Amino acid sequence: MSETTIRPAAPADADRLTALIQASSAYRGAYFAMIDGYVVTPDYVERHEVGMAVTDDDRLLGFYALIREPAELDLMFVADEAQGLGIGRQLIADMLDRAREAGIAAVKVVSHPPAEGFYRQLGAERTGTRPPRAKTPWEQPELRFTV
């Protein structure tokens, strides 16, 4: 496999980010409502800290989106074919570096329930539970990364 780097997303990458979200098998079945119709817009990319994991030939392997105020990991996706290769770890490390550079002390995560263990392995602490909502009719783990 070619080398992977993390680079800032540009507004022109919005369609690629949306396609990665929509292709995610982690959101099939009961969790589909979370991504149904979800679109990453160029404006979203401009307003937030979005980092992309790409190969040297610019193939998208994953991305994250950090909202700075209040600090929250808003989106985090790794392509199905890149699962288990350490891409998620690289993305979280980059996100925490960007947060640290911005003077952020902690980053909130409202997790996809099956992803809670991943975040906890990387140092996030559980802080609570978000109650069910219209698009997420189940409880979601709330976590925090101390930066």
Side-chain angles (χ1 to χ4, degrees):
M1 180 173 219
S2 55
E3 183 152 342
T4 302
T5 58
I6 309 295
R7 71 163 174 84
D13 294 312
D15 288 345
R16 293 173 69 193
L17 302 176
T18 298
L20 187 116
I21 290 171
Q22 295 303 321
S24 177
S25 65
Y27 289 87
R28 300 282 189 268
Y31 295 116
F32 180 70
M34 290 180 76
I35 63 166
D36 186 23
Y38 193 92
V39 175
V40 177
T41 65
D43 179 61
Y44 179 92
V45 175
E46 286 181 342
R47 288 183 295 116
H48 304 298
E49 184 85 31
V50 181
M52 298 172 50
V54 295
T55 60
D56 50 10
D57 61 351
D58 205 40
R59 186 167 53 98
L60 178 61
L61 300 178
F63 77 97
Y64 69 84
L66 172 65
I67 296 173
R68 288 187 177 197
E69 187 58 42
E72 181 173 351
L73 178 62
D74 189 42
L75 299 171
M76 169 75 178
F77 285 85
V78 174
D80 288 353
E81 67 274 10
Q83 296 283 325
L85 301 177
I87 303 301
R89 288 178 183 277
Q90 287 180 275
L91 288 165
I92 292 295
D94 190 76
M95 181 273 300
L96 292 172
D97 286 346
R98 299 289 82 72
R100 194 173 296 107
E101 290 169 5
I104 295 169
V107 176
K108 177 181 177 179
V109 178
V110 179
S111 179
H112 175 49
E116 178 181 9
F118 166 76
Y119 292 120
R120 292 183 71 163
Q121 269 187 334
L122 297 180
E125 296 178 22
R126 182 142 188 189
T127 58
T129 303
R130 176 191 269 179
R133 295 178 173 196
K135 280 198 129 190
T136 54
W138 53 85
E139 293 183 340
Q140 289 180 276
E142 289 186 349
L143 305 113
R144 179 183 59 238
F145 281 105
T146 301
V147 178

